[in-house]
Amino acid sequence: MKTLTVALPGREYDILIQRGLLDQAGAYCRKALPRAGRLFVVTDSNVAPLYAPRLEASLTAAGFSVTVHVVPAGEASKCAGQLAGLWEAMMAAGLTRTDAVVALGGGVVGDLAGFAAATILRGVDFVQIPTTLLAQVDSSVGGKVAIDLEAGKNLAGAFWQPKLVLMDPDTLDTLPDATFADGMAEVIKYGCILDGTFFDFLAHRPSRKEIMAEIEHVLYTCCNLKRIVVEEDERDTGKRMLLNFGHTLGHAYEKAGHYEKWTHGQAVAAGMVKAAGLGERLGITPAGTADRIAAVLTALDLPVEISCTAEEYAAAIGLDKKGAGADISVILLEEMGRAIPHKMPKAALLEELK
Ligand code: NAD
Ligand code: GLY
């Protein structure tokens, strides 16, 4: 078993990584949630038939009363309607302040269930059991929970740290290739921004099969890097912003594709290559870095270039006529494995991107 502890004062929690861990979830939840009698498990319509019965059996064997609540798979479930449905179902199930919520699924389920846990009865305990690569390396760690609004993604939310994060790498076996590749964009991002040696490790394993052969090391390395960032900047006012490498431009690509043509991971992949190229032109990033990142992404079937109009870039960086003089902080690479925020006028950034 690989174990990490996120050492936030008064809210510390473990991240446990082991193949087959799903069947031992009951025992570990019992340890992390000594007061809880009932667990309210939130999952989605794809994950429920694959993994909910095993989780329910393990939790029940550990003495918990279990309610399983299934939401439709997909980003659309991260909405106020589903959140309200969860609140009502939690009350109908008899959830009390000493009970807990368990998220079994990808980032959608984790963000939605986590926000429900943060708000029901003014906040109850919460366990993350992430089942996508993205959720295992990113969204299940760090306590950001949210739903989407008409006005944009993740606009209503909270910082609500889990009591425990349990990841079973075997659950990744059932992911479609494209969903696995989406998670790999975030994995590669960690190498780019925080750990050049890890980037080289990934570059030498350019396929899903080779990554899965080392998956515990990959998950541990990513979660450890995120742990360090979150311990230093839980509330996202400094170092945590480095995790946005490739994301500002990625948002432009997601929007340009009307959130249908490109997944988040694909958009971030192209965004990282564009940001590395920008850094090279500004003399901040060593020449050849964008090509190195592109080679790893290409091997995993991720796009390295997405076309986008100047208007779409302008919207993504928040550049309108009024904001023409304002600065923006873009995350650039000083070298592979070391990212910095770089402040520049939005108008100058737009010129560079065209
Ligand atoms: P997702 O939760 O929609 O999962 C992707 C797809 O995989 C879904 O169809 C899901 O049903 C399916 N799935 C999940 N596990 C599976 C498995 N083991 N086998 C087969 N299918 C499975 O998407 P995601 O990529 O996991 O997460 C994206 C969400 O995460 C977005 O809403 C994003 O905003 C959020 N996010 C949050 C944070 C954070 O810090 N809270 C960070 C990054 C992303
Ligand atoms: N995924 C970005 C963060 O957790 O801050």
Side-chain angles (χ1 to χ4, degrees):
M1 167 107 68
K2 289 192 185 290
T3 305
L4 286 160
T5 301
V6 181
L8 291 166
R11 284 158 302 128
E12 70 177 32
Y13 57 96
D14 287 342
I15 303 168
L16 309 181
I17 305 165
Q18 191 179 43
R19 288 181 184 275
L21 195 53
L22 192 62
D23 298 311
Q24 298 170 54
Y28 289 105
C29 285
R30 176 49 71 208
K31 245 195 236 169
L33 307 165
R35 299 178 310 161
R38 173 167 297 283
L39 297 184
F40 190 93
V41 177
V42 183
T43 187
D44 78 19
S45 51
N46 290 334
V47 178
L50 293 169
Y51 302 114
R54 277 171 57 198
L55 176 63
E56 191 174 359
S58 176
L59 296 176
T60 306
F64 292 108
S65 301
V66 180
T67 305
V68 177
H69 182 97
V70 182
V71 300
E75 183 73 26
S77 280
K78 248 177 74 173
C79 67
Q82 289 294 344
L83 177 66
L86 280 186
W87 287 331
E88 296 297 347
M90 286 168 174
M91 291 300 90
L95 198 80
T96 68
R97 293 188 68 190
T98 52
D99 292 333
V101 173
V102 178
L104 172 71
V108 164
V109 163
D111 281 12
L112 172 69
F115 193 35
T119 44
I120 194 74
L121 300 172
R122 300 198 175 86
V124 300
D125 288 346
F126 170 48
V127 171
Q128 289 267 21
I129 306 185
T131 63
T132 63
L133 183 55
L134 179 138
Q136 294 187 349
V137 299
D138 188 359
S139 61
S140 65
V141 175
K144 281 188 184 174
V145 295
I147 57 165
D148 303 331
L149 302 181
E150 292 293 329
K153 275 193 65 168
N154 298 323
L155 289 183
F159 289 95
W160 193 247
Q161 299 294 342
K163 287 283 170 198
L164 176 68
V165 183
L166 271 176
M167 42 189 92
D168 181 346
D170 284 346
T171 59
L172 302 179
D173 289 344
T174 49
L175 282 184
D177 280 336
T179 314
F180 187 86
D182 264 354
M184 280 307 297
E186 302 290 349
V187 170
I188 292 160
K189 181 193 76 180
Y190 283 110
C192 293
I193 62 172
L194 293 166
D195 188 340
T197 308
F198 183 53
F199 180 87
D200 289 337
F201 172 93
L202 297 169
H204 285 99
R205 286 159 185 82
S207 69
R208 177 172 179 170
K209 198 172 160 206
E210 287 160 292
I211 294 291
M212 279 309 290
E214 307 274 0
I215 191 67
E216 279 126 323
H217 173 69
V218 170
L219 298 179
Y220 180 89
T221 304
C222 294
C223 290
N224 192 37
L225 292 168
K226 183 144 187 193
R227 172 192 71 77
I228 292 164
V229 170
V230 168
E231 284 176 2
E232 186 177 322
D233 176 28
E234 182 188 8
R235 294 288 168 140
D236 204 3
T237 56
K239 188 167 182 151
R240 195 162 177 169
M241 291 180 191
L242 299 182
L243 299 175
N244 289 335
F245 177 60
H247 281 59
T248 305
L249 303 176
H251 290 151
Y253 303 142
E254 276 185 281
K255 201 162 175 219
H258 305 286
Y259 297 94
E260 275 172 13
K261 189 164 179 195
W262 306 107
T263 63
H264 178 69
Q266 290 171 329
V268 166
M272 290 193 292
V273 176
K274 188 81 175 173
L278 170 67
E280 288 182 28
R281 281 199 305 287
L282 295 174
I284 292 168
T285 305
T289 304
D291 285 347
R292 286 175 69 196
I293 300 172
V296 181
L297 295 169
T298 303
L300 291 158
D301 277 335
L302 285 160
V304 296
E305 197 177 354
I306 291 178
S307 67
C308 184
T309 64
E311 289 70 32
E312 285 159 346
Y313 276 131
I317 63 178
L319 181 64
D320 53 26
K321 281 192 182 115
K322 274 185 256 158
D327 284 345
I328 184 169
S329 188
V330 274
I331 308 303
L332 299 178
L333 301 182
E334 272 189 331
E335 63 180 1
M336 189 62 86
R338 192 146 52 92
I340 49 154
H342 175 77
K343 221 173 182 192
M344 63 191 291
K346 287 180 177 177
L349 173 61
L350 185 60
E351 277 311 305
E352 290 288 343
L353 293 173
K354 276 183 192 167

